[in-house]
Amino acid sequence: MFEFEPEPNPDPEAESESNTEANTEIKPRLQRALEEPLSVVSTEGTPVESDAWFVSVVSHSGESYTVDVRDGRCNCPDARYHLGADQRCKHQIRAEIALGRMPVPPHAAETADIDRLLGEHTDANLRFLVNDGGCYRQDIHLRT
């Protein structure tokens, strides 16, 4: 059900105790990306393959935004007007997680109320980082 993948850790000694404590807080956009009911589908509205470059992220209200996962762009107002070049909106984060390109950090997996349909319309395996630096890859979709 889960496959272990070691994640590279460039300098494990560089992480201080205070840095570890700071990393346990979920950033607001990551939390929204994990908890809000958002569907990642093809730009035509059909299920998407994990190697897609362009996807639509559709909210429960029906609002849809196009995400370019390769170049890290989204056409939502937050991405266009409020974020710097190195920041991502909730749609970009959700697309990357749902497509298996970005793992869910351990602190987020432990504290967030993750949307049970995360990754539902993709063929990707969801990935969850674990505290020892490894990564579980989930071969099934989240369901309650």
Side-chain angles (χ1 to χ4, degrees), residues 24-44:
T24 61
E25 186 175 319
I26 301 175
K27 294 183 179 179
R29 286 185 180 90
L30 172 60
Q31 185 164 3
R32 290 194 299 271
L34 291 171
E35 293 182 348
E36 291 183 10
L38 301 168
S39 297
V40 178
V41 295
S42 73
T43 54
E44 291 83 29

Side-chain angles (χ1 to χ4, degrees), residues 79-97:
R80 289 190 310 200
Y81 303 117
H82 303 290
L83 301 178
D86 61 337
Q87 296 175 306
R88 295 176 292 187
C89 68
K90 69 180 180 183
H91 308 104
Q92 291 168 289
I93 296 169
R94 179 65 171 245
E96 290 177 14
I97 291 172

Side-chain angles (χ1 to χ4, degrees), residues 14-105:
E15 188 171 304
S16 69
E17 191 174 318
S18 62
N19 190 17
T20 302
E21 289 174 16
N23 287 336
T24 61
E25 186 175 319
I26 301 175
K27 294 183 179 179
R29 286 185 180 90
L30 172 60
Q31 185 164 3
R32 290 194 299 271
L34 291 171
E35 293 182 348
E36 291 183 10
L38 301 168
S39 297
V40 178
V41 295
S42 73
T43 54
E44 291 83 29
T46 59
V48 65
E49 295 182 9
S50 59
D51 61 352
W53 291 355
F54 291 93
V55 295
S56 290
V57 179
V58 184
S59 70
H60 65 282
S61 67
E63 195 71 39
S64 177
Y65 296 104
T66 301
V67 174
D68 177 345
V69 291
R70 187 174 80 166
D71 290 338
R73 292 183 289 180
C74 180
N75 66 348
C76 75
D78 190 32
R80 289 190 310 200
Y81 303 117
H82 303 290
L83 301 178
D86 61 337
Q87 296 175 306
R88 295 176 292 187
C89 68
K90 69 180 180 183
H91 308 104
Q92 291 168 289
I93 296 169
R94 179 65 171 245
E96 290 177 14
I97 291 172
L99 294 173
R101 297 178 186 191
M102 175 183 167
V104 176

